[in-house]
């Protein structure tokens, strides 16, 4: 069948129309013939080499240039020349590419040949090594077999000598092999031949024949083994040829050879199972249990499923179940507790020869504005008071002072305000000596008594410093007398407590105070071991911009060095820098030295204990355990509440108004003091609720929380950053800044007082007696009254008394004087009164007239 399939091919010409005519069809049968100009395009066919037209480039160019009929239409001589030049350049590039490919192919072939030769050389070495090992093994086997045969022959000879007859023909140990090799020549038993005596010369010939057969079999097996071993080798000819189907890869052959080599050298035996001591806490994750046993997690999960527990490798199991799994795998379980991580902290008692004298730690305590900081400034020759807001101490400070005789003394300055009870308690717990400062013109005050109680609770000695003795109205004797009421007997009153009269302003008695401290320290014999891991107490902690969390630590034992890894409360860190009280960076801090520590991962709580550990992993593990324990403790406290208690608390809270606040302070101790002070503000009707407290600047998250809870933000010695300020302005969150704790507490009290319900007071303004009762249509009963006392007002409240018993309380509907409605009626005048929605009035009843007044309450 042709391509046209009997159909005429399409073309421009056809019918009566001449060439170049096209008939167009339109609607309604209309047609139109259009003349078409046809141009034929010349196709340039490249000439093949060897043809007469395939001459040099110059001749071809000349031919085309000279013969315009063979040139494509519209092509100029210059364009034709450019095309020919491009064609020549393309042919040159093709030749260069072909030459380069040939060189690369040659190099690859050489590389393949080199690798092939290296591989064959390595295989030859492997074969030679295997042949040597095999020959050695065969030699050893042959020697062993020969020794065994000699032993058997000697035993047979001894037996024959003992019996005196030829031994019964029995096959040698290799008889089955020999019989298998030559089944056509079975041995005849001597007993089948009439019991004739055996022929002795046949035995050695049979043994020689068997040995020859065995040697022949070995040689045959060796040849066959070599052929079988070589049959699996992949050679170049085998790889090229398609015969034999799919072959094993070279890697598989190498693995097989390596396995055979290891088996020949004795490495194929399975390793003996190692029994491990598995540390088993109270709960453990399945994957961690498998890791500690050095077993596959899938095997552990399978063992648990056999016990009936459908668990995954990420689930937690209890210690009893884990112990069963450990025993099943053949290991030993060692029960440990989560609290065992604390054992990483060194608690070894120091030897007496390692202890060295250390400076005493002295805490200055007393009532607010009794001159504690001024006294310490006079000793240090500094001026801390000038930089304190309001002239009062609101932070606990730690300083080290060198006395005139060269001895070092560490001082802790505590606040005296009532809100800083926790700070004073911390100061008393870490101190060796308490200096109780009492103003001579003010005597014993509430915080003085509190300081005495803290010192007694900590069981530390006390020195009384009677300050402000330079004032005219100073009375030191009254101070000594007042202290007797609190069981503090000074030396001048025949007691044991030292007392010194001092003046921070004039410097009077400061030397005597330092001597008293030195004497007390000498009696205490304060000693510590500086050559051990450091431990200390956190006096204060804060979040500093640029430096991060900073903790003021008083080292109590050992020496804290830069680079030490430590754990403090629920936080841990590595000492990045140590800064002393003068702002200088130091490399280490010994016992009784206060320093600022940088490098914590978070802000610790004031009062936490700092301990140096060996590794970062230990520190992180201890901190995680403490954090988890604290979280569990909080959760347990909440879970212990029953539903009835929750309902009772919710019912009680319905009548209590709350003032929510957010507190941000500069240091941890100040935040703690503010929270404790705010918790004391309020009564049974209103209370202050601290939603969140923290250390550091006020941030966007604080503003977001305050907006959600409609609470103000209290900033104590901190400020909000720029984004937090803009956010607070947009969201309408109030931010209040304070630098004095007095002002903060007073403002919170005023705000809480605004939540108190106003107190309603009744003021009696008059009495009236009903003389007559009139019945008026449309109004009801109207009482004709005489105002006997005070005044009767239209807007006032009234009570109807009958026989001095209140029977109705309400308001007046009308108050008339004659026929006119009036606002009030004075005493001694008559009037008409009608009660709102009450008509049971009788002559002789008394009307009590009063006004209600709302009085705004405030918290004390």
């Amino acid at each position: 069948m042709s391509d046209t399939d009997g159909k005429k091919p399409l073309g421009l010409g056809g019918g009566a129309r001449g060439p170049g005519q096209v008939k167009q069809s339109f609607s309604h049968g209309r047609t139109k013939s259009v003349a078409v100009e046809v141009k034929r395009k010349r196709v340039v066919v490249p000439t093949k080499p060897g043809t007469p037209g395939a001459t040099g480039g110059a001749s071809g160019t000349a031919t085309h240039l000279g013969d315009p009929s063979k040139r494509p239409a519209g092509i100029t001589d210059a364009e034709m020349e450019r095309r020919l030049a491009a064609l020549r350049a393309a042919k040159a590039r093709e030749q260069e590419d072909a030459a380069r490919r040939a060189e690369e192919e040659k190099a690859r072939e050489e590389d393949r040949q080199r690798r092939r030769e290296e591989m064959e050389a390595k295989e030859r070495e492997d074969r030679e090594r295997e042949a040597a090992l095999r020959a050695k093994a065969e030699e050893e086997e042959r020697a062993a077999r020969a020794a065994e045969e000699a032993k058997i022959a000697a035993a047979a000879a001894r037996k024959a000598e003992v019996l005196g007859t030829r031994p019964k023909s029995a096959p040698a140990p290799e008889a089955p092999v020999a019989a298998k090799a030559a089944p056509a020549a079975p041995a005849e038993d001597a007993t089948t031949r009439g019991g004739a005596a055996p022929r002795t010369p046949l035995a050695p010939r049979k043994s020689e024949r068997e040995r020859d057969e065995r040697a022949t079999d070995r040689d045959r097996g060796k040849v066959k083994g070599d052929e079988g071993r070589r049959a699996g080798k992949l050679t170049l000819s085998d790889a090229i040829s398609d015969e034999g189907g799919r072959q094993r890869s070279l890697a598989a052959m190498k693995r097989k050879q390596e396995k055979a080599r290891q088996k020949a050298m004795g490495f194929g035996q399975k390793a003996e199972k190692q029994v491990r001591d598995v540390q088993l806490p109270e709960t453990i994750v399945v994957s961690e249990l498998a890791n500690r046993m050095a077993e596959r997690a899938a095997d552990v999960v399978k063992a648990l499923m056999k016990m009936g527990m459908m668990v995954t490798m990420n689930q937690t199991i209890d210690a009893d179940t884990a112990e069963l799994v450990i025993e099943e795998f053949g290991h030993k379980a060692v029960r440990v507790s989560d609290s065992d991580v604390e054992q990483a902290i060194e608690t070894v008692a120091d030897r007496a020869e390692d202890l060295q004298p250390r400076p005493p730690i002295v805490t200055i305590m007393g009532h607010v504005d009794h001159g504690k900081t001024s006294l310490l400034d006079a000793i240090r020759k500094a001026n801390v008071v000038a930089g304190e807001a309001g002239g009062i101490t609101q932070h606990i400070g730690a300083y080290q002072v060198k006395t005139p005789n060269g001895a070092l003394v560490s001082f802790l300055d505590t606040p005296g305000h009532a809100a800083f009870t926790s700070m004073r308690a911390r100061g008393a717990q870490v101190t060796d000596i308490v200096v109780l400062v009492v103003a001579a013109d003010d005597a014993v005050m509430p915080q003085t008594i509190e300081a005495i109680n803290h010192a007694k609770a900590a069981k530390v000695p006390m020195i009384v410093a009677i300050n402000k003795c330079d004032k005219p109205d100073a009375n030191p004797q009254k101070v000594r007398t007042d202290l007797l009421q609190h069981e503090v007997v000074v030396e001048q009153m025949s007691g044991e407590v030292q007392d010194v009269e001092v003046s921070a302003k004039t410097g009077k008695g400061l030397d005597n105070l330092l001597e008293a401290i030195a004497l007390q320290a000498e009696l205490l014999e304060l000693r510590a071991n500086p050559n051990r891991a450091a431990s200390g107490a956190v006096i204060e902690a804060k979040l500093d911009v640029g430096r991060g969390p900073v903790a003021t630590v008083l080292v109590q034992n050992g020496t804290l060095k830069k680079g030490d890894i430590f754990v403090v409360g629920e936080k841990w860190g590595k000492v990045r820098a140590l800064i002393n009280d003068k702002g200088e960076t130091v490399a280490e801090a010994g016992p009784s030295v206060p320093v600022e520590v940088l490098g914590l991962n978070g802000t610790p709580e004031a009062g936490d204990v700092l301990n140096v550990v060996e590794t970062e992993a230990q520190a992180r593990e201890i901190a995680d355990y403490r954090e988890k324990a604290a979280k569990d403790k909080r959760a347990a406290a909440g879970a212990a509440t029953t539903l009835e208690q929750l309902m009772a608390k919710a019912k009680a809270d319905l009548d209590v108004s709350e003032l929510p606040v957010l507190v941000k302070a500069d240091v941890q101790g100040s935040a703690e003091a503010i929270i404790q002070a705010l918790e004391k503000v309020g009564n049974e009707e209103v209370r202050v609720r601290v939603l969140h407290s923290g250390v550091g600047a006020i941030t966007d998250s604080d503003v977001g929380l305050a907006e959600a809870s409609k609470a103000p933000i209290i900033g104590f010695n901190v400020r909000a950053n720029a984004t937090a300020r803009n956010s607070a302005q947009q969201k309408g969150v109030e931010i209040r800044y304070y630098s004095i704790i007095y002002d903060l507490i007073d403002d919170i009290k005023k705000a809480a007082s605004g939540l108190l319900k106003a107190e309603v007071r009744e003021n009696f303004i008059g009495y009236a007696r009903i003389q007559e009762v009139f019945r008026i249509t449309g109004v009801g009963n109207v009482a004709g009254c005489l105002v006997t006392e005070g005044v009767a007002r239209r807007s006032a409240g009234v009570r109807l008394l009958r026989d001095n018993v209140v029977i109705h309380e309400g308001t007046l509907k009308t108050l008339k004087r004659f026929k006119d409605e009036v606002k009030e009626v004075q005493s001694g005048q008559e009037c008409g009164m009608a009660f709102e929605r009450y008509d049971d009035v009788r002559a002789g009843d008394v009307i009590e007239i009063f006004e209600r007044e709302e009085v705004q309450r405030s918290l004390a």
Side-chain angles (χ1 to χ4, degrees):
M1 183 180 289
S2 63
D3 293 338
T4 59
D5 198 16
K7 297 180 182 179
K8 188 176 180 180
L10 296 175
L12 292 177
R17 296 186 306 276
Q21 296 289 327
V22 175
K23 184 177 180 180
Q24 294 180 337
S25 299
F26 300 96
S27 61
H28 304 291
R30 292 183 292 116
T31 60
K32 180 180 179 182
S33 296
V34 180
V36 178
E37 180 182 0
V38 180
K39 287 187 178 181
R40 297 183 66 185
K41 184 175 181 181
R42 177 177 173 82
V43 179
V44 180
V45 180
T47 58
K48 297 181 180 179
T51 59
T55 57
S59 62
T61 303
T63 303
H64 287 294
L65 290 176
D67 191 2
S69 62
K70 296 181 180 181
R71 187 184 305 167
I75 301 299
T76 61
D77 295 344
E79 178 66 22
M80 194 66 188
E81 184 65 30
R82 282 196 296 273
R83 291 189 179 186
L84 292 173
L87 184 60
R88 288 193 295 271
K91 288 182 178 180
R93 282 196 301 273
E94 286 181 2
Q95 293 175 359
E96 292 176 1
D97 292 343
R100 187 174 64 255
R101 284 194 296 272
E103 291 177 359
E104 291 176 354
E105 184 64 29
K106 184 179 179 181
R108 282 196 294 271
E109 183 62 31
E110 291 176 355
D111 188 35
R112 283 196 294 270
Q113 182 65 24
R114 180 178 52 79
R115 285 201 298 270
R116 194 180 302 115
E117 291 174 356
E118 291 177 356
M119 193 178 302
E120 290 176 355
K122 187 175 180 182
E123 289 178 0
R124 256 193 321 273
E125 292 177 2
D126 292 343
R127 286 196 299 272
E128 291 173 359
R129 187 162 52 251
E130 288 179 7
L133 291 172
R134 193 179 300 107
K136 184 178 178 181
E138 289 175 355
E139 184 66 27
E140 292 176 354
E141 184 181 357
R142 192 180 298 112
R145 191 180 294 111
E148 185 68 24
E149 290 175 358
K151 188 176 180 181
I152 293 172
R158 284 196 301 271
K159 185 176 181 182
E161 290 175 1
V162 171
L163 296 176
T165 58
R166 192 178 65 169
K168 186 178 179 180
S169 176
E174 289 80 7
V177 179
K180 186 177 181 181
E188 292 183 358
D189 196 345
T191 59
T192 62
R193 298 183 180 181
R199 289 176 292 178
T200 306
L202 293 178
R205 285 201 298 272
K206 185 176 180 181
S207 299
E208 290 174 2
R209 185 172 64 249
E210 290 175 354
R211 282 198 297 270
D212 294 341
E213 288 174 355
R214 283 197 299 270
T216 304
D217 291 341
R218 282 199 302 272
D219 295 339
R220 187 183 298 112
K222 181 177 180 181
V223 173
K224 185 177 180 180
D226 290 341
E227 291 175 356
R229 183 169 54 83
R230 291 293 300 164
K233 292 293 183 180
L234 180 64
T235 62
L236 183 60
S237 59
D238 293 339
I240 294 174
S241 66
D242 295 331
E243 297 177 1
R246 183 175 179 180
Q247 300 290 333
R248 295 184 67 181
S249 66
L250 184 61
M253 297 302 298
K254 286 187 174 181
R255 286 195 297 270
K256 182 178 179 182
Q257 293 173 5
E258 184 67 23
K259 190 180 295 183
R261 186 184 306 112
Q262 290 182 356
K263 185 176 182 181
M265 298 179 68
F267 295 148
Q269 287 82 6
K270 190 175 181 180
E272 185 179 354
K273 185 176 180 65
Q274 185 177 0
V275 179
R276 302 176 183 273
D277 291 337
V278 181
Q279 302 287 332
L280 185 59
E282 296 170 359
T283 58
I284 189 170
V285 181
V286 175
S287 58
E288 178 62 20
L289 177 61
N291 188 25
R292 294 186 182 186
M293 293 192 300
E295 303 284 353
R296 294 174 61 246
D299 295 340
V300 178
V301 172
K302 190 184 299 181
L304 287 168
M305 286 183 176
K306 289 179 181 177
M307 296 179 184
M309 294 185 64
M310 300 299 160
V311 296
T312 64
M313 61 185 297
N314 296 322
Q315 285 183 290
T316 304
I317 58 176
D318 60 304
D320 296 334
T321 307
E323 188 171 2
L324 293 176
V325 174
I326 292 170
E327 291 176 355
E328 183 175 345
F329 279 90
H331 301 289
K332 296 180 181 178
V334 179
R335 289 289 190 106
V336 295
S337 175
D338 290 340
S339 60
D340 290 346
V341 297
E342 299 275 3
Q343 294 177 358
I345 299 174
E346 187 179 353
T347 56
V348 181
D350 296 315
R351 295 180 299 177
E353 56 268 21
D354 295 335
L355 299 177
Q356 299 178 12
R358 65 171 178 84
I361 302 171
V362 180
T363 300
I364 309 291
M365 303 180 75
H367 192 70
V368 62
D369 204 24
H370 275 201
K372 298 181 297 298
T373 306
S374 300
L375 181 63
L376 188 55
D377 283 347
I379 296 173
R380 297 177 60 226
K381 297 181 174 56
N383 191 14
V384 176
V385 174
E388 292 182 331
I392 63 170
T393 301
Q394 300 178 108
H395 305 97
I396 187 167
Y399 313 96
Q400 194 166 44
V401 178
K402 181 175 285 190
T403 59
N405 59 1
L408 290 174
V409 179
S410 296
F411 283 99
L412 296 181
D413 184 18
T414 60
H417 191 269
F420 297 97
T421 301
S422 298
M423 282 192 187
R424 287 189 292 274
R426 277 197 300 277
Q429 288 167 1
V430 300
T431 191
D432 300 317
I433 302 169
V434 169
V435 173
L436 183 64
V437 178
V438 186
D441 60 341
D442 206 10
V444 176
M445 298 299 287
Q447 270 63 59
T448 310
I449 301 170
E450 184 187 308
I452 293 171
N453 295 332
H454 284 316
K456 289 181 178 179
K459 297 180 180 179
V460 293
M462 197 183 325
I463 298 174
V464 178
I466 305 174
N467 196 17
K468 301 185 180 181
C469 289
D470 57 305
K471 285 194 172 184
D473 55 347
N475 188 359
Q477 195 60 33
K478 183 178 183 301
V479 173
R480 298 185 181 98
T481 306
D482 290 348
L483 289 174
L484 290 174
Q485 302 175 12
H486 305 286
E487 300 177 359
V488 178
V489 185
V490 299
E491 289 181 343
Q492 289 196 12
M493 307 289 288
S494 302
E496 296 180 354
V497 178
Q498 300 183 75
D499 65 311
V500 183
E501 295 183 7
V502 296
S503 173
K505 189 174 182 179
T506 63
K508 170 191 173 184
L510 294 182
D511 294 339
N512 296 335
L513 178 60
L514 292 175
E515 288 178 6
I517 293 173
L519 176 60
Q520 190 66 54
E522 187 176 350
L523 293 174
L524 292 174
E525 295 183 355
L526 303 172
R527 299 164 70 84
N529 180 12
N531 302 317
R532 59 168 294 171
S535 63
V538 176
I539 303 300
E540 194 59 273
K542 62 182 178 180
L543 185 63
D544 196 350
V545 178
R547 296 195 299 171
V550 180
T552 303
V553 177
L554 182 64
V555 181
Q556 294 172 310
N557 208 351
T559 302
L560 186 62
K561 304 182 184 67
K562 184 178 179 181
D564 281 349
I565 298 169
F566 61 89
V567 59
V568 49
E570 300 175 18
K571 309 297 180 183
W572 66 276
K574 184 176 182 181
V575 178
R576 201 170 73 233
L578 296 172
I579 302 172
N580 62 10
D581 59 310
K582 300 178 181 63
E584 302 168 349
T585 302
V586 295
E588 60 182 24
S592 303
V593 177
V595 286
E596 285 186 341
V597 179
L598 279 67
L600 293 100
N601 71 329
T603 307
E605 297 289 335
D608 287 342
V609 178
L610 180 143
N611 294 102
V612 172
V613 295
E614 294 181 358
T615 62
E616 185 175 318
Q618 288 180 346
R620 189 184 291 109
E621 191 176 6
I622 294 172
D624 292 344
Y625 162 71
R626 290 177 176 176
E627 186 175 1
K628 180 177 178 295
K631 191 182 298 183
D632 292 345
K633 186 176 180 181
R634 290 192 295 268
T641 307
T642 61
L643 183 60
E644 290 77 7
Q645 292 172 338
L646 287 174
M647 296 296 292
K649 185 176 184 300
K651 187 175 180 180
D653 290 345
L654 289 176
D655 300 330
V656 179
S657 300
E658 283 188 345
L659 175 63
V661 295
L662 274 78
V663 177
K664 293 300 285 290
D666 54 344
V667 295
Q668 193 76 38
S670 297
E672 183 183 13
I674 292 169
I675 293 170
Q676 291 176 354
L678 294 182
E679 286 175 350
K680 297 177 183 177
V681 174
N683 53 19
E684 64 277 0
E685 297 181 31
V686 64
R687 65 186 175 202
V688 179
R689 182 184 176 194
V690 180
L691 297 176
H692 171 70
S693 65
V695 177
I698 299 170
T699 61
D700 282 339
S701 60
D702 299 326
V703 174
L705 178 59
E707 181 198 15
S709 56
K710 297 182 174 60
I713 300 176
I714 307 299
F716 186 75
N717 287 331
V718 295
R719 295 292 182 267
N721 54 37
T723 56
R725 285 197 301 270
N726 296 335
S727 179
Q729 290 177 357
Q730 294 173 1
K731 297 176 180 178
V733 175
E734 182 183 9
I735 301 178
R736 287 176 171 262
Y737 300 117
Y738 297 93
S739 57
I740 302 175
I741 198 168
Y742 294 132
D743 301 338
L744 188 154
I745 295 174
D746 290 345
D747 283 1
I748 294 297
K749 281 183 178 180
K750 291 178 183 177
S753 299
L755 298 177
L756 289 173
K757 295 179 181 178
E759 182 181 356
V760 179
R761 295 179 182 175
E762 293 182 354
N763 296 326
F764 296 98
I765 59 176
Y767 288 91
R769 180 177 297 277
I770 299 177
Q771 303 288 346
E772 191 68 39
V773 178
F774 305 97
R775 181 73 181 176
I776 299 177
T777 306
V779 177
N781 292 339
V782 176
C785 305
L786 174 67
V787 179
T788 58
E789 184 180 346
V791 61
R793 286 198 181 96
R794 171 77 174 75
S795 58
V798 292
R799 290 191 186 94
L800 183 63
L801 306 180
R802 185 172 297 161
D803 298 332
N804 292 326
V805 177
V806 178
I807 61 173
H808 175 70
E809 180 177 346
T811 57
L812 291 177
K813 181 166 63 175
T814 180
L815 176 64
K816 288 188 177 182
R817 171 85 172 143
F818 298 108
K819 292 186 178 182
D820 299 328
E821 189 77 28
V822 295
K823 291 184 178 180
E824 64 178 31
V825 177
Q826 297 294 329
S827 176
Q829 297 179 354
E830 292 182 346
C831 61
M833 295 183 188
F835 293 93
E836 190 79 38
R837 299 177 183 176
Y838 190 78
D839 289 336
D840 185 16
V841 291
R842 299 176 187 177
D845 292 347
V846 177
I847 299 175
E848 186 179 71
I849 308 164
F850 62 91
E851 287 183 342
R852 290 187 175 91
E853 178 186 5
E854 290 187 354
V855 179
Q856 190 65 39
R857 298 161 60 198
S858 62
L859 295 171

